[in-house]
């Protein structure tokens, strides 16, 4: 019963947010949901409920290995959300807060789904509640990004439904015909009709791969992450993509059991390396620091796929990397969001010298960039090392060489852009000069509102603790996970691998 | 019973060609609406015994795909004051040819697929595959947002047709959930179309070009 609360609480709070009267106090529901969700997750992490193979919802070892990696970033982001919405009082936040809470609920529901159809329903729901979050800024560019997200994401979700039907049809002739729970499908895997299983893997890899953002189905990502608030980027890059990855892990278990282990390994590894290559190329070229984060996310989805293709040791490393990626991405998106708000521009020719304009956020972005590109004391270094080790042990020398080359490309691309915008003499976009040339307090004439308070550098986005501390905490967690990975967590990942592959 | 179902699938295939070959946006919307109504009737014929959830799914499909969504799209069309797809990325004749050859190809392919004995005489599988292809052609080959939404609807119809093969096995509550999700999806798309129309003063997605590398 405890695990049902895990998605019911955020969904009920989402309803409450819809009817909550005050724009000022509504954002406080976010930390409330974050705290309740994390507390419940901790309890379930250390005292997992008894397995219930027949039910459609369950907190199995795989769920247990990833739910905390979503709950913790949401908790940190929820405090950022309160500060962010206080600084952006010009936008109504009713739909925003409700959608964000519903997103947490639906992500948790997808992770707990033990049924192919239910998983799809929850995932589609999560895709749809994301839409109002993407166009929160209400600009023409935001609507353009939302449209592209809907068309590409909608087609991806439609394809994953088709793949689920294929998999369902392959089981239609078996003894347990209509039972589409994952446990039943794995158990009857040898009886599944083979051509349909293979077709299902191809279509589901495309469909859920679109949600993960694997190249070449990644085209929605730069637009969506570029236009959405940084907070939303952090939750999408660290939440929704994880759900799609877990869905593919579950499907892969069935397809492998049906005798296609070689096909899944080859396709997943190829798609992973291709995503890393595409991301590396775009990272070398893009001038926009928020789109850079989207390509970095594509790269890390490639790393996860590559790791997952490498058998039990690789999957354990990939689950570790899910944690590292979600934490490092949180720091990057939040600090980049601060910078974007400080200068109201985001391409390298328009912006430079951010170290002087927003010293703390810029430093956080630089450290976050080193963390996410796997520089030693941070977590991603250790998980990528584990992936490389299992690739070598699996005898994939050429693939490992490509993997390392693409990591280097991504590092060069990201460091180039991050230092281009942070170093040098401060330069602001024309639009920003025009907007700060207004007399103080001129925007909207709300004299006491915090967003009108001018910081010493003339910025409308003061570096308050509320928007600075969350990325600092993200970096701290990432460091902690790298330097002193809790043995309990290693055990949790090992349990998930045993669950997926047998002992 | 099989003949009646095949006749309805045939009608749905006709609607595909209608949507692919027409340059007038209201005709495309109507083709999608006819297809929605036709598909809504099929579940009633597939399940021999009456079940209230089947009836609900059926009525829901007809009401939403046949009436509500087309009405919303027609309203958006009037607001935007456009009636034609003038410069499609893929011409109408090539689209029709692709649609027609996909239909023929799907029938041939379905003959070689490992279907259950009770599905061998039905056109559901070729119908599903041909409708999927038609939807994808509309989705990528047209520039007006309304045509793309219709393409998405037709793509969903193809998947729905395939899903009908599982109607005996899967619990209907899942089908109901899927229908609900699709409805919300189209509503959300409708809202965004409306906002794009207001922001860009156009429903031509060819104008959505500010985001690129």
């Amino acid at each position: 019963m405890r695990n049902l609360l895990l998605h019911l609480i955020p969904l009920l709070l989402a309803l409450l947010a819809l009817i909550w009267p005050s724009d000022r106090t509504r954002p406080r529901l976010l930390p409330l949901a974050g705290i309740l969700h994390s507390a419940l997750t901790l309890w379930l992490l250390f005292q997992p409920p008894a397995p219930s193979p027949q039910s459609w919802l369950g907190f199995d070892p795989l769920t247990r290995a990833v739910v905390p990696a979503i709950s913790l970033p949401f908790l940190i982001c929820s405090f950022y959300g309160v500060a962010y919405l206080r600084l952006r009082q010009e936008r109504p936040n009713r739909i925003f807060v409700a959608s964000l809470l519903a997103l947490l609920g639906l992500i948790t529901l997808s992770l707990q789904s033990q049924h192919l159809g239910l998983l799809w329903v929850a995932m589609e729901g999560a895709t749809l509640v994301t839409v109002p979050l993407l166009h929160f800024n209400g600009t023409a560019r935001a609507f353009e990004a939302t449209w592209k997200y809907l068309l590409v994401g909608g087609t991806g979700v439609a394809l994953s439904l088709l793949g689920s039907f294929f998999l369902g049809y392959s089981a239609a002739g078996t003894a347990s015909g209509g039972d589409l729970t994952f446990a039943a499908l794995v158990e009857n895997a040898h009886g599944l009709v083979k051509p349909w299983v293979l077709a299902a893997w191809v279509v589901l890899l495309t469909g859920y791969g679109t949600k993960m953002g694997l190249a070449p189905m990644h085209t929605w990502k730069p637009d969506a992450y570029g236009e959405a608030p940084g907070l939303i980027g952090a939750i999408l890059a660290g939440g929704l993509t994880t759900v799609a990855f877990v869905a593919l892990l579950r499907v892969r278990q069935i397809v492998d059991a049906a005798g296609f282990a070689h096909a899944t390994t080859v396709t997943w590894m190829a798609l992973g390396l291709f995503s890393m290559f595409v991301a590396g190329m775009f990272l070398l070229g893009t001038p926009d620091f928020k789109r850079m984060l989207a390509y970095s996310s594509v790269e890390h989805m490639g790393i996860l796929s590559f790791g997952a293709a490498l058998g039990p040791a690789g999957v354990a490393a990939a689950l570790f990397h899910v944690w590292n990626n979600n934490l490092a991405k949180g720091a990057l998106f939040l600090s980049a969001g601060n910078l974007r708000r400080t200068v109201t521009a985001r391409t390298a020719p328009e912006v430079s010298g951010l170290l002087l304009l927003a010293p703390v956020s810029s430093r956080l972005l630089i450290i976050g960039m080193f963390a996410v590109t796997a520089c030693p004391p941070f977590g991603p270094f250790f998980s990528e090392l584990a992936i490389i080790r299992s690739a070598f042990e699996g005898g994939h020398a050429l693939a490992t060489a490509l993997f390392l080359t693409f990591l280097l490309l991504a590092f060069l691309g990201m460091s180039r852009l991050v230092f281009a915008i942070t170093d040098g003499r401060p330069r602001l976009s024309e639009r920003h000069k025009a907007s700060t040339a207004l007399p103080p307090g001129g925007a909207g004439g709300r004299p006491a509102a915090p967003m009108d308070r001018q910081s010493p550098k003339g910025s409308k986005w003061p570096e308050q603790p509320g928007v600075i501390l969350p990325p600092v905490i993200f970096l701290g967690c990432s460091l902690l996970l790298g330097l002193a990975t809790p043995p309990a967590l290693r055990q949790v990942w090992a349990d998930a691998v045993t669950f997926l592959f047998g002992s | 019973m099989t003949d009646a179902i095949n006749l309805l699938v045939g009608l749905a295939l006709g609607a595909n060609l209608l949507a692919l070959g027409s340059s007038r946006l209201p005709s495309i919307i109507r083709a999608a609406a006819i297809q929605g109504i036709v598909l809504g009737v099929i579940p009633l014929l597939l399940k021999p015994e009456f079940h209230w959830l089947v009836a609900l799914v059926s009525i829901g499909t007809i009401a939403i795909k046949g009436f509500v969504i087309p009405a919303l799209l027609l309203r958006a069309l009037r607001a935007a004051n456009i009636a034609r797809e003038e410069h499609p990325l893929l011409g109408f004749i090539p689209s029709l040819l692709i649609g027609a050859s996909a239909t023929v190809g799907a029938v041939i392919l379905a003959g070689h697929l490992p279907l259950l004995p009770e599905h061998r005489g039905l056109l559901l599988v070729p119908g599903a595959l041909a409708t999927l292809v038609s939807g994808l052609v509309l989705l990528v080959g047209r520039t007006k947002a309304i045509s793309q939404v219709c393409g998405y609807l037709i793509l969903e119809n193809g998947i729905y047709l395939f899903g009908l093969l599982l109607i005996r096995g899967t619990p209907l509550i899942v089908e109901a959930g899927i229908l609900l999700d699709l409805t919300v999806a189209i509503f959300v798309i409708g809202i965004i179309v409306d906002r794009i129309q207001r922001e860009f003063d156009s429903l031509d997605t060819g104008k959505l070009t500010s985001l690129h590398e």
Side-chain angles (χ1 to χ4, degrees), chain A residues 460-473:
Chain A
K460 286 201 284 182
W461 194 259
E463 292 199 302
Q464 294 175 347
V467 296
I468 291 299
L469 279 180
V472 173
I473 296 171

Side-chain angles (χ1 to χ4, degrees), chain A residues 121 144 158 169 196 291 295, chain B residues 114 116 119 159 181 208 210 213:
Chain A
V121 170
E144 180 179 336
Y169 195 66
W196 288 116
R291 291 170 76 88
Y295 290 117
Chain B
L116 293 181
H119 295 144
I159 295 170
D181 270 355
L208 302 182
S210 51
E213 282 313 318

Side-chain angles (χ1 to χ4, degrees), chain B:
Chain B
M1 201 61 89
T2 308
D3 286 342
I5 294 170
N6 283 348
L7 179 69
L8 289 175
V9 175
L11 277 176
L13 288 173
N16 284 338
L17 299 182
L18 204 62
L20 285 175
S22 175
S23 72
R24 293 193 64 254
L25 294 174
S27 314
I28 302 181
I29 298 176
R30 267 183 217 115
I34 293 171
Q35 198 172 52
I37 297 174
V38 168
L39 297 189
V41 179
I42 298 181
L44 291 176
L45 299 176
L46 271 175
K47 275 250 182 184
E49 72 281 14
F50 181 81
H51 190 286
W52 65 271
L53 212 50
V54 180
L56 193 72
V57 167
S58 188
I59 292 169
T61 310
I62 294 174
I64 291 162
K65 290 193 172 175
F67 297 96
V68 179
I69 294 170
L72 279 176
L73 291 177
L74 285 171
R75 211 190 61 163
L77 211 53
R78 272 198 299 279
N81 204 15
I82 44 167
R84 302 190 161 270
E85 177 78 47
E86 267 146 11
H87 304 289
L89 297 174
L90 188 69
F92 300 107
I93 303 294
S95 310
L96 259 182
L97 284 176
I98 294 176
S101 30
T103 312
V104 177
V107 174
I108 296 170
L109 178 68
H112 297 283
L113 288 176
L115 298 178
L116 293 181
E118 65 261 37
H119 295 144
R120 284 200 206 282
L122 286 173
L123 278 177
L124 278 181
V125 175
L129 297 177
T131 310
L132 266 171
V133 174
S134 308
L136 280 176
V137 168
L138 280 176
L139 203 55
V140 298
R142 299 287 186 266
T143 56
K144 294 279 184 284
I146 300 273
S147 323
Q148 291 176 334
V149 174
C150 288
Y152 185 70
L153 269 178
I154 292 175
L155 173 74
E156 292 284 8
N157 283 345
I159 295 170
Y160 174 90
L161 266 177
F162 194 92
L164 289 178
L165 294 177
L166 296 169
I167 202 165
R168 272 165 226 256
T170 50
L172 279 158
I173 196 80
V174 174
E175 305 265 341
I178 290 168
L179 184 68
L180 180 74
D181 270 355
L182 293 184
T183 317
V184 181
I186 298 293
F187 271 116
V188 171
I189 290 179
I191 294 166
I192 298 300
V193 165
D194 182 53
R195 298 300 293 263
I196 286 179
Q197 209 266 319
R198 271 192 254 164
E199 289 284 341
F200 291 83
D201 206 22
S202 159
L203 278 181
D204 195 338
T205 51
K207 290 191 181 168
L208 302 182
T209 51
S210 51
L211 302 179
H212 57 88
E213 282 313 318

